[in-house]
Amino acid sequence: MALIRRICGWWYGATIGTLVHTFFNGEKVGEDVQGNVYYKEKKGSKRWVIFKTDVEASKIPPEWHMWLHHTVDYTPAEKKPVRKEWEKELEPNMTGTVHAYYPTGSLNEGGKRKKTTGDYEAWTPGS
């Protein structure tokens, strides 16, 4: 089953073609705390990532994102990023999971919103 997922579904991780290309043309430059592995071409300027789990771009830390998009020429492995005290740890996109954010008043939070002080009156069909 895992082999079929690898062959047919790029969203489950690197495809066979990507792994073959990486083996012949890629040079490993580092790995992030989540286990994603980053590569660059041996002869060229292309850069890519092979995700440890499902492919989800929000799982790439900012310092590696800058390197992938050629914003900086050094990897976080070469030059340790300076973290500000206000910076939070990377949190992937939680949309569609049980950890997703639902604002007060959304249907997933009971559909009741706080009363407003304005003159707003909701429209109801048939009135």
Side-chain angles (χ1 to χ4, degrees):
M1 183 65 173
L3 179 63
I4 293 172
R5 284 177 54 166
R6 280 273 186 190
I7 293 170
C8 299
W10 59 265
W11 51 90
Y12 294 119
T15 62
I16 300 297
T18 301
L19 294 174
V20 169
H21 174 77
T22 301
F23 180 76
F24 287 109
N25 302 311
E27 178 184 330
K28 182 179 175 180
V29 294
E31 190 173 326
D32 65 21
V33 295
Q34 297 179 348
N36 301 324
V37 183
Y38 298 86
Y39 294 90
K40 69 177 184 177
E41 273 186 324
K42 292 176 185 174
K43 299 176 183 173
S45 63
K46 290 185 182 179
R47 300 172 178 179
W48 65 94
V49 59
I50 295 186
F51 292 91
K52 182 177 182 177
T53 59
D54 293 348
V55 174
E56 172 56 51
S58 69
K59 292 181 180 178
I60 298 175
E63 54 272 10
W64 280 107
H65 183 272
M66 292 188 327
W67 178 81
L68 276 174
H69 293 273
H70 298 270
T71 304
V72 296
D73 289 329
Y74 54 86
T75 67
E78 296 169 346
K79 184 177 177 184
K80 191 75 174 160
V82 178
R83 305 287 301 205
K84 307 289 187 205
E85 63 183 44
W86 47 264
E87 287 183 283
K88 295 181 178 179
E89 289 297 317
L90 177 69
E91 184 176 305
N93 185 354
M94 295 294 171
T95 303
T97 69
V98 295
H99 303 294
Y101 169 75
Y102 298 109
T104 306
S106 73
L107 295 177
N108 292 349
E109 289 293 324
K112 302 286 184 191
R113 65 176 185 79
K114 294 180 181 177
K115 296 283 186 190
T116 60
T117 57
D119 57 353
Y120 173 78
E121 187 176 321
W123 174 83
T124 55
S127 60

